[in-house]
Amino acid sequence: MAVLAFSCLSTRVAAQPASERVLSAVTISAKANPDPVEKSYRQMVRGMDLFEQERAALSPQATLRFKLLPRRLDTDMRRIEMEVIGSTVDFAVPIAPDGTFTLARNPRAYDENAQVSPNRRALSMTWRTEIRTPGLPANTRRLGDLRLECRVGMQAGLLSNSSNVVGRMVKALLDTPAYCDRQLPNYLFFADRPLFSVALAFGQRREVLSIDKLYAGASDDPGLKEDLPYCDCEVLVDRTYILPLGDRSWPDDTRVEFDYMEDE
């Protein structure tokens, strides 16, 4: 979908409120960013709807935010500007210093299948959900929150790892919230810092994840270097982990505990 050039819009919309600008239909002959890293506003709102539907069961005290993460070493994550852009509507999306944001609900943008478009190129960033229960101990997450992160992320269409036509066909079959109910879905979570180990803990039971569940499976993939350009973990490999989301012997209140490299 064409992205409206900011310079072309500035004169037309200067007198309108910053929160939302209603545009007349125009034909776009040029784009400020010809290859944007963008997502469907409609799909992301559907992810928000799923969060509201399932939060009582999985994450009753949590809040939902979306998060932008770097995908390349040269990606500048500072001062990112982002807009929701439809054919007749355009409004800014504020981004917090930690790269997280929320989306305002706008029926016109939903009907027009608008795009959520940062001013960064495709494959320069990746997207995730961030669902956190407040008050947890330092260096821990709650498994129910992460289960819902996966489900909302799939519903919102945030993953983009496919490298070819076959890969895109497989992704189309798996890219649903039900994928997260598998015993061990290959959904990559990103920790805040480089990881030394990850453990699950509930009551007296504690289990450290095996090394193949960390670092995007690097220990089992001698061809990882060649695969990295197709993975949205490209520069975050040392922060990645996968979890047994579908293993219900681990309840939603299970703690996911992180030991970070610098801690060791």
Side-chain angles (χ1 to χ4, degrees):
M1 182 175 184
V3 178
L4 303 181
F6 299 137
S7 59
C8 295
L9 290 175
S10 57
T11 303
R12 182 185 299 245
V13 303
Q16 299 194 36
S19 60
E20 178 179 337
R21 301 186 292 274
V22 179
L23 309 176
S24 58
V26 295
T27 300
I28 303 301
S29 57
K31 297 180 288 185
N33 184 355
D35 189 22
V37 51
E38 60 186 14
K39 297 295 179 184
S40 163
Y41 176 81
R42 183 181 293 169
Q43 271 194 273
M44 293 183 72
V45 170
R46 288 171 178 166
M48 293 160 55
D49 292 339
L50 183 67
F51 172 75
E52 295 300 333
Q53 293 165 16
E54 300 190 356
R55 64 183 300 186
L58 291 175
S59 303
Q61 300 178 55
T63 56
L64 166 67
R65 295 182 69 83
F66 297 101
K67 187 168 188 175
L68 298 173
L69 294 156
R71 184 163 174 164
R72 298 191 184 280
L73 285 172
D74 59 355
T75 302
D76 184 359
M77 299 299 293
R78 300 167 300 174
R79 298 181 296 278
I80 297 173
E81 296 179 358
M82 187 159 63
E83 290 189 310
V84 173
I85 302 174
S87 57
T88 68
V89 65
D90 170 23
F91 58 91
V93 179
I95 301 175
D98 64 356
T100 64
F101 63 94
T102 59
L103 281 181
R105 291 180 180 270
N106 185 294
R108 185 184 294 115
Y110 186 92
D111 291 342
E112 294 177 0
N113 195 19
Q115 298 298 298
V116 185
S117 184
N119 59 341
R120 296 293 184 271
R121 286 187 174 274
L123 302 183
S124 65
M125 296 191 303
T126 191
W127 309 61
R128 285 297 187 274
T129 53
E130 184 162 278
I131 297 173
R132 290 182 181 262
T133 295
L136 293 178
N139 297 351
T140 66
R141 297 291 305 274
R142 182 176 171 277
L143 184 58
D145 296 351
L146 295 169
R147 282 176 169 140
L148 192 51
E149 275 193 14
C150 179
R151 293 181 61 79
V152 173
M154 286 296 193
Q155 183 77 346
L158 299 186
L159 276 67
S160 54
N161 289 340
S162 299
S163 60
N164 53 39
V165 174
V166 174
R168 287 192 292 270
M169 291 173 63
V170 172
K171 181 177 183 293
L173 295 175
L174 299 180
D175 198 4
T176 68
Y179 177 72
C180 304
D181 297 330
R182 294 188 172 200
Q183 186 81 356
L184 193 67
N186 191 27
Y187 182 94
L188 295 180
F189 293 98
F190 299 116
D192 295 331
R193 304 195 300 278
L195 289 164
F196 180 77
S197 69
V198 179
L200 301 176
F202 184 78
Q204 299 302 310
R205 183 185 179 192
R206 191 173 191 274
E207 181 179 311
V208 177
L209 295 184
S210 58
I211 190 66
D212 60 307
K213 306 302 186 295
L214 305 179
Y215 316 131
S219 63
D220 285 342
D221 186 1
L224 179 64
K225 185 175 180 180
E226 289 73 26
D227 294 339
L228 277 179
Y230 307 116
C231 178
D232 65 358
C233 64
E234 188 171 356
V235 297
L236 298 171
V237 169
D238 55 0
R239 303 184 184 196
T240 64
Y241 61 100
I242 63 174
L243 293 170
L245 300 179
D247 183 354
R248 289 295 169 175
S249 70
W250 292 104
D252 291 330
D253 284 330
T254 296
R255 298 283 174 84
V256 183
E257 301 175 344
F258 303 106
D259 286 327
Y260 294 112
M261 288 289 188
E262 60 266 34
D263 296 338
E264 295 298 319

